Amino acid sequence: MTAQPYELVLKRACQIGLIVLQADETIEHDMRRMLPPSVEFLVSRVPSGTHVTLDTLSAMEVELKRAAALFPEAAVLRAVGYGCTSGSAQIGSGRVAEAVRAGKSTEEVSDPVTALIRACRAMQVTRIGLLSPYIQSVSRRLCDVLEEAGIGIVAFASFEESEEGRVAQIAPSSIKEAAIRLAGSADMDAVFVSCTNLRTLDLIDTVEAETGVPMMTSNQVLCWDLLRLVGAKGQGPGALWRQGITPD
């Protein structure tokens, strides 16, 4: 056998990583639709419970380092996202970032809660309506974290679902109707639909057009923030993306 000559690529493309819940069927597809071709997208998975409770969300913290360590050793990740909104609220964004960096060196770490807070500041949003798929205890923790960041929850609605596998099966029509009802229930600056596993991406422009209220979702704001952190531009729906990728 004759060894063939080859060259190494000296300049890498911009790479970002995403840690996805084992049970999540939605976020990877959404991210690939919004990311530009110039950004390489690498995924690792973290074990997650069948049912979503405060205990199962907390348990993911010890797994995050292992999940981050499974990214390719040679990859140079400019940013890593943790794809769990309620998990980020329960564990805490600072501890999420610490666990991720313990497994994989990266310049930036984001999560849907951190991304939402940054998006709200960019859009000067201080009052939101929150739609969650989850049970009250899980949703309450997210509300508390957002309110501590100065984002008031002026209206709230939930599908009261605890089984993660069913969340991805919630019909987009049900999500749209709930978001529209929520937007009309109080005076608010935006509607936020929480959870990376809900199929929301194709609903954003429609809900905004029907209500006149900006709509943000977990996957939308996380992708927006990751691209903002690496200085790249993607294409996504909603008023947030029409404002462009803004610096801190």
Side-chain angles (χ1 to χ4, degrees), residues 24-36:
D24 198 306
E25 303 176 41
T26 305
I27 189 171
E28 289 174 81
H29 179 63
D30 283 357
M31 292 287 283
R32 288 190 171 96
R33 292 175 60 189
M34 291 182 283
L35 290 170

Side-chain angles (χ1 to χ4, degrees), residues 96-145:
V96 166
E98 182 180 346
V100 169
R101 289 194 173 104
K104 179 65 177 178
S105 176
T106 182
E107 297 173 22
E108 304 285 354
V109 178
S110 188
D111 61 76
V113 176
T114 297
L116 174 62
I117 293 169
R118 289 170 174 164
C120 284
R121 289 172 180 164
M123 296 181 67
Q124 299 183 324
V125 165
T126 59
R127 294 158 51 86
I128 66 169
L130 175 61
L131 176 60
S132 167
Y134 295 128
I135 57 177
Q136 183 176 355
S137 58
V138 172
S139 302
R140 182 68 258 169
R141 178 58 184 157
L142 175 59
C143 291
D144 290 344
V145 170

Side-chain angles (χ1 to χ4, degrees), residues 184-219:
S185 67
D187 181 21
M188 63 187 67
D189 300 323
V191 168
F192 175 64
V193 182
S194 177
C195 183
T196 61
N197 210 4
L198 284 175
R199 302 184 187 277
T200 58
L201 199 63
D202 291 323
L203 307 178
I204 296 172
D205 287 332
T206 299
V207 170
E208 289 189 348
E210 292 193 22
T211 65
V213 177
M215 176 174 165
M216 292 184 281
T217 73
S218 293
N219 295 348

